Amino acid sequence: MFKKRYSRPGSGPATLSSLPGAPKTVVLRVMEYDENGYTEKDVNSVAELPNHSELDDGKVRWIEMNGLGDVETLRALGAKYDLHPLALEDV
């Protein structure tokens, strides 16, 4: 069911690599809710995701990334939200 993925031997810590055979297409979805309701929408790129300044509005958000074959999208997501490189490697 789940395939183990390891960085190449000799690669440095926090090296991002895609799962061999993983599709390159990525689907990004944002789900958010508060006391007034729930919304869910697909976005086409990391640039369309809410910025840090938009995250302080009292809503709870879940950003889902389906398809880990595109390392650049994962890297952009990490840069946008200041995610630690070792956490991105674990994804």
Side-chain angles (χ1 to χ4, degrees):
M1 182 169 149
F2 294 105
K3 294 180 182 179
K4 291 185 179 184
R5 176 178 57 153
Y6 300 101
S7 298
R8 289 187 184 142
S11 61
T15 301
L16 297 180
S17 61
S18 63
L19 188 64
K24 296 285 185 190
T25 57
V26 173
V27 176
L28 293 170
R29 178 173 294 131
V30 179
M31 292 151 274
E32 54 188 19
Y33 67 91
D34 60 10
E35 65 276 357
N36 298 317
Y38 170 83
T39 60
E40 185 174 327
K41 64 180 177 180
D42 290 341
V43 294
N44 295 318
S45 69
V46 172
E48 293 180 36
L49 293 171
N51 294 320
H52 280 288
S53 60
E54 299 172 87
L55 296 177
D56 198 18
D57 60 0
K59 293 183 178 181
V60 175
R61 285 186 183 79
W62 179 267
I63 298 171
E64 179 181 342
M65 179 177 168
N66 286 315
L68 296 175
D70 185 1
V71 174
E72 291 309 313
T73 300
L74 183 60
R75 188 172 283 124
L77 189 66
K80 182 166 188 126
Y81 295 112
D82 298 323
L83 301 175
H84 195 279
L86 291 176
L88 290 176
E89 179 186 30
D90 288 344
V91 171

